[in-house]
């Protein structure tokens, strides 16, 4: 199972805090494509090139491999001052 969590405006736009998916995904990109296929809103939110991804609390990229038990987080860039 893969746990997927959403933060900040991503959570607000999708209306979801987290999902648990039984399906296996080869990498972050495959997961992202699967989620984007849910509907147009999901496709638009996940198509944002500035969206960041972390796997098990470490920054990841589309090619990052996934395995059972991983937690994948999608979140917008964070700014502060």
């Amino acid at each position: 199972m893969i746990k997927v969590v959403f933060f900040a405006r991503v959570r607000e736009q999708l209306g979801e805090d987290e999902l648990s998916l039984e399906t296996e995904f080869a990498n972050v990109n495959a997961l992202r494509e699967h989620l984007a296929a849910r509907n147009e809103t999901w496709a638009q939110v996940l198509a944002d090139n500035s969206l960041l991804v972390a796997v098990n609390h470490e920054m990841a990229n589309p090619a990052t491999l996934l395995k059972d038990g991983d937690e994948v987080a999608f979140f917008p860039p964070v700014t502060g001052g």
Side-chain angles (χ1 to χ4, degrees):
M1 177 172 19
I2 301 287
K3 180 179 178 182
V4 185
V5 294
F6 307 100
F7 293 99
R9 70 173 165 79
V10 178
R11 176 180 55 219
E12 294 165 10
Q13 291 171 319
L14 298 177
E16 293 276 353
D17 290 336
E18 66 180 56
L19 301 170
S20 293
L21 302 173
E22 295 290 337
T23 309
E24 292 186 23
F25 301 95
N27 55 36
V28 169
N29 192 55
L31 171 62
R32 196 173 189 159
E33 288 176 357
H34 173 81
L35 294 172
R38 295 184 94 178
N39 64 43
E40 185 62 31
T41 299
W42 284 70
Q44 287 178 342
V45 171
L46 294 170
D48 182 350
N49 290 331
S50 70
L51 198 63
L52 300 175
V53 181
V55 176
N56 300 324
H57 306 276
E58 293 192 20
M59 295 305 294
N61 63 58
T64 299
L65 300 177
L66 297 177
K67 64 185 181 318
D68 188 42
D70 282 346
E71 178 184 272
V72 181
F74 291 94
F75 53 99
V78 179
T79 60

